[in-house]
């Protein structure tokens, strides 16, 4: 079996004697080997905003847990057949001359002892959001150890083309690398920088992608075979969350809103993603959530979602009459309102006054409840937007 932890699994041998004679065995059970994990897999976790198109990178890292876990192969014309010599290649002890002798060839590409490929490593991507493309490098060199991994073609299970673009089907795809140079005296890591690309049209879907790392090829053939690849592995993937495409949004708090006792409240939400600074335009609706009650002790109205507010435009409403785009009236309401807008650059203003603003009037800026997108402050919503001082 294969150990699923860093604690090696023991392989035991049992000895018994059968026949008419009697011979005592002092220790009929012996530990003859240990099985341990050869590779550790991890991936960096990133969050990208749906409304910020571009190309981003996360790392998928495959690290050997002992110096000869990753090994390159030799050409089948090369002989490695000197008894007692340690060959740190995938084929290890292999004699071309021996295999070429009449009656000793076992068939296959190279004959007895020859591996069909060097160590292969597979990255399997899943749940990649729609309209997102992935690409991987065609090779990676660990400058410290000298280990080299080279991207393989579809015959090895890759869904990549010659340039490294990953073909995704239903959000899933794979990239296979083969070790083509290895250093047995060093613990090496293969670090694959995966490019994530999406555009503003069409926007990417929302969601979290995953990736697994495993040796390759995997197989269900666990006995000697003339045709199965050598080496071959059980499917024992190590998984990791990689990147999340999150919606761009701003959460605004209007802490006092009223349409009671002769007062009314006007609300304006501006989509300021249109500007002279080169900001990528964003657009989307706002959902208004009401907390409080209505005149006479009634419950607060239910939430409602406006129409799309395009870049440079505004939602304009009063509590008593509603407004545009597509906001219904909520007469008699008093309490507070949280507006969740599907764009990062929302800013709000409220104006409370008696009808006609003839006696009392007060205006205030809505409070942005999010973390600052530039890293200067944190909020409770999980979103990142533009928080400005006033």
């Amino acid at each position: 079996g294969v150990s699923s932890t860093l604690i090696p699994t023991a392989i035991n041998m049992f000895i018994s004697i059968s026949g008419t004679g009697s011979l005592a065995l002092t220790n009929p059970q012996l530990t003859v080997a240990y099985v341990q994990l050869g590779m550790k897999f991890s991936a960096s976790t990133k969050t990208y905003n749906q409304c910020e198109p571009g190309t981003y990178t996360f790392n998928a890292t495959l690290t050997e847990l002992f110096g000869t876990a990753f090994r390159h192969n030799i050409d089948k014309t090369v002989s490695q057949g000197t008894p007692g010599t340690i060959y740190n290649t995938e084929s290890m002890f292999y004699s071309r001359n021996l295999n070429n002798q009449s009656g000793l060839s076992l068939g296959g590409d190279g004959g007895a002892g020859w591996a069909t490929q060097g160590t292969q490593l597979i990255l399997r991507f899943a749940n990649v959001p729609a309209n997102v493309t992935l690409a991987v490098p065609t090779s990676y060199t660990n400058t410290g150890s000298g280990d080299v991994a080279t991207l393989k073609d579809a015959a090895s299970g890759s869904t990549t083309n010659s340039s490294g673009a990953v073909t995704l089907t239903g959000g899933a795809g794979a990239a296979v690398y083969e070790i083509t140079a290895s250093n047995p005296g060093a613990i090496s890591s293969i670090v694959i920088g995966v490019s994530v690309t999406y555009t503003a049209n069409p926007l990417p879907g929302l969601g979290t992608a995953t990736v697994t790392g495993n040796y390759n090829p995997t197989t269900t053939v666990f006995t000697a075979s003339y045709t199965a690849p050598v080496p071959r592995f059980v499917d024992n993937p190590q998984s990791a969350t990689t990147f999340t495409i999150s919606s761009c949004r701003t959460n605004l708090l209007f802490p006092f809103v009223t349409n009671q006792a002769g007062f009314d409240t006007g609300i304006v939400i501006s989509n300021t993603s249109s500007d002279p600074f080169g900001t990528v335009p964003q657009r989307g609706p706002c959902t208004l959530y009401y907390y409080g009650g209505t005149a006479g002790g009634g419950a607060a109205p239910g939430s409602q979602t406006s129409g799309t507010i395009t870049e440079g435009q505004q939602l304009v409403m009063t509590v008593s009459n509603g407004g545009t785009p597509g906001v219904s009236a909520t007469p008699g309401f008093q309490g507070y309102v949280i507006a969740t807008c599907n764009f990062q650059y929302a800013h709000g203003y409220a104006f409370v006054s008696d009808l006609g603003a003839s006696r009392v009037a007060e205006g205030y800026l809505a409070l942005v409840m999010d973390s600052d997108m530039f890293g200067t402050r944190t909020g409770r919503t999980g979103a990142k937007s533009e928080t400005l001082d006033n």
Side-chain angles (χ1 to χ4, degrees), residues 64 66-74 80 85-94 118-119 147 179-186:
E64 58 182 352
F66 50 88
T68 56
F70 297 167
R71 294 181 295 198
H72 67 280
N73 200 18
I74 57 169
Q80 293 186 157
T85 301
I86 297 174
Y87 298 104
N88 288 309
T89 65
E90 197 66 80
S91 290
M92 296 185 287
F93 182 89
Y94 168 78
T119 303
D147 282 26
I179 301 299
T180 52
S182 60
N183 178 359

Side-chain angles (χ1 to χ4, degrees), residues 195-219:
S195 296
V196 180
T197 301
Y198 56 92
T199 64
N201 185 23
L203 279 173
L206 303 177
T208 299
T210 60
V211 63
T212 63
N214 200 73
Y215 281 109
N216 189 71
T218 57
T219 185

Side-chain angles (χ1 to χ4, degrees), residues 293-307:
T294 54
S303 63
Q304 60 172 315
T305 300
S306 74

Side-chain angles (χ1 to χ4, degrees), residues 40 65 68 94 103 126 132 138 180 206 229 239 262 287 334 350 363 373 375:
K40 178 178 67 175
L65 295 179
T68 56
Y94 168 78
V132 173
T138 57
T180 52
L206 303 177
S239 62
T287 299
Q334 180 170 292
M373 60 192 300

